[in-house]
Amino acid sequence: MQYDHILIRYGEMALKGKNIKKFIVRLQENIQHKLKDFPDVKVKRTQGRMFVLLNGHEPEPIIEKCKQIFGIQSLSLAIKVENDLDEIKEAALYALKNNESAEKFKVAVRRINKDFPTDSQTMNQVLGSHLLANTKGYKVDVHNPDIAIKVEIRLEATYITSSVTQGLGGLPVGTSGKSLLLLSGGIDSPVAGYLAMKRGVKIEAIHFHSPPFTSERAKQKVLDLAKQLTKYGKEIKVHLVPFTKLQQAIFKEMPEGYAMTIMRRIMLRISERVCENESILSMTTGENLGQVASQTMESMHTINEVTNYPIIRPLITMDKQEIINLSEEIKTYDTSILPYEDCCTIFVPKSPKTRPRRDKVNQFESMADFTELINEAINGIEVIKVSDKQALDPFFEDLL
Ligand code: ATP
Ligand code: MG
């Protein structure tokens, strides 16, 4: 007798009506992908349930992996037995005894298979009596048990579980289309990417850098952040845009107070072109209302003017501390705070306009022509596919 299965629950997806099949198939694929280093471990679907078959493998590392997969609401180690009363009794007893600290227990039977001759209420009593008769020191407490022995009698077999581990929730990555994440080296944008992924969005990333003003290490930092996000999905394609010439031109030709706004507008124009090429229908940013001068309502209104693409801003209403907490949870924080220069921190106007107006910006932009430099930047994009397998840069391993 042993816990040889992990029962996967995908709560929210049950609400999705006709799409349910698509969600479940994707979830199964994502779990399979995540567990591909464990060749003996299999992922199976039965009606309304998904299971990981351990085939003798230690459960803990598998559970840890499953805790990084969006779409899993909760999971439980399970014992699988035949739909046979004696086997069910034995498994329930094993589950109870396996949990030494518990004193008060309850049994909760669900009989999905109506061909099974004993109804669930009677089964609760039969199993409860069996457990009391074969153990010492346990009490039944249906309202406040230390342990609930759950028994699901299904068509193909019966599953016994006794504990629940919370999953990440959300939707399986790949079920909500793709978004282009504007990924800086900061704290916010990786968290924004994570939250978009949580809603089933597959991410590609775009990063603007300005060599030689920004270093190789600053670039590597962004790749490391992307790599950390691959833990929650698969590989991430990172588009690295050479931004030096454009930034220099903007800061030379545009009034200083407006340079930041115009730079952001050009980032969006370039991002839109990448979206078109990659068949991506939205962008995601780490913008947060009120955090910095460039993130006022007026500023967003003016920057947003240049694109019709929906912009997902998962952090828009969050408090900075909530964002930091999340970034610590998803382990991007330590990388994000490494002190490497960002293209936006190098070209900083002394006093950026906090309320840049559309008409003003349009007027300034009409005095210059950045088209050629934009095309040049787009042609110069370097694409790097970051996978969850790629080793960290040794330098960063020292620091983390
Ligand atoms: P973050 O912590 O994500 O760097 P921030 O608080 O520094 O954000 P801003 O500098 O105003 O805020 O940037 C707002 C958003 O613009 C970022 O969250 C990111 O999505 C995008 N962004 C900024 N700089 C870059 C860059 N160099 N490359 C790609 N996207 C960027
Ligand atoms: Mg930043």
Side-chain angles (χ1 to χ4, degrees), residues 199-215:
R199 294 313 298 168
V201 175
K202 186 170 163 47
I203 289 291
E204 288 192 20
I206 185 167
H207 175 69
F208 297 84
H209 65 148
S210 299
F213 302 102
T214 60
S215 64

Side-chain angles (χ1 to χ4, degrees), residues 184-187 264 342 344:
S184 70
I187 293 172
R264 293 263 185 245
D342 176 285
C344 305

Side-chain angles (χ1 to χ4, degrees), residues 14-245:
L15 302 172
K16 286 284 177 180
K18 278 186 189 161
N19 280 336
I20 185 83
K21 177 95 189 190
K22 182 179 114 188
F23 286 95
I24 292 171
V25 170
R26 178 57 67 127
L27 179 60
Q28 184 179 17
E29 279 171 17
N30 290 356
I31 299 174
Q32 272 159 348
H33 176 83
K34 192 83 193 166
L35 300 179
K36 68 178 185 307
D37 290 341
F38 307 96
D40 294 340
V41 175
K42 303 281 176 242
V43 188
K44 286 263 173 322
R45 270 186 290 138
T46 66
Q47 241 182 353
R49 281 280 182 261
M50 203 174 301
F51 293 96
V52 175
L53 276 65
L54 293 170
N55 287 322
H57 202 285
E58 279 291 307
E60 283 74 21
I62 311 292
I63 290 177
E64 281 313 304
K65 292 272 181 197
C66 289
K67 280 161 73 179
Q68 298 173 339
I69 301 172
F70 289 124
I72 297 181
Q73 213 65 33
S74 68
L75 40 119
S76 292
L77 269 176
I79 305 167
K80 180 185 182 185
V81 295
E82 302 274 301
N83 290 343
D84 171 88
L85 184 57
D86 287 336
E87 286 202 26
I88 297 173
K89 279 180 174 174
E90 194 190 334
L93 187 59
Y94 174 85
L96 181 62
K97 284 182 165 172
N98 205 42
N99 197 314
E100 282 159 3
S101 59
E103 285 176 6
K104 298 174 286 176
F105 74 90
K106 79 168 184 182
V107 177
V109 177
R110 272 184 74 200
R111 185 181 58 143
I112 289 110
N113 178 357
K114 299 296 178 207
D115 290 338
F116 189 80
T118 316
D119 69 39
S120 51
Q121 206 37 50
T122 312
M123 277 299 282
N124 281 337
Q125 287 157 11
V126 169
L127 291 177
S129 312
H130 179 73
L131 296 183
L132 286 172
N134 289 280
T135 54
K136 279 208 184 79
Y138 287 101
K139 278 193 302 211
V140 173
D141 185 339
V142 290
H143 299 298
N144 193 20
D146 302 321
I147 178 173
I149 309 288
K150 293 188 180 155
V151 177
E152 261 191 40
I153 305 168
R154 304 189 71 86
L155 287 182
E156 74 285 359
T158 294
Y159 299 91
I160 292 95
T161 61
S162 63
S163 66
V164 180
T165 304
Q166 285 307 306
L168 283 181
L171 302 172
V173 171
T175 54
S176 303
K178 268 200 285 187
S179 190
L180 184 65
L181 171 67
L182 278 77
L183 184 60
S184 70
I187 293 172
D188 300 339
S189 42
V191 177
Y194 169 85
L195 289 174
M197 290 166 90
K198 182 170 185 182
R199 294 313 298 168
V201 175
K202 186 170 163 47
I203 289 291
E204 288 192 20
I206 185 167
H207 175 69
F208 297 84
H209 65 148
S210 299
F213 302 102
T214 60
S215 64
E216 271 302 301
R217 280 176 182 178
K219 170 175 148 186
Q220 186 60 41
K221 175 182 174 182
V222 170
L223 295 175
D224 287 343
L225 288 171
K227 179 184 151 67
Q228 189 56 22
L229 290 179
T230 62
K231 265 218 283 188
Y232 306 97
K234 296 179 187 168
E235 64 169 29
I236 295 180
K237 223 166 153 181
V238 182
H239 304 261
L240 290 161
V241 186
F243 208 43
T244 320
K245 281 191 191 168

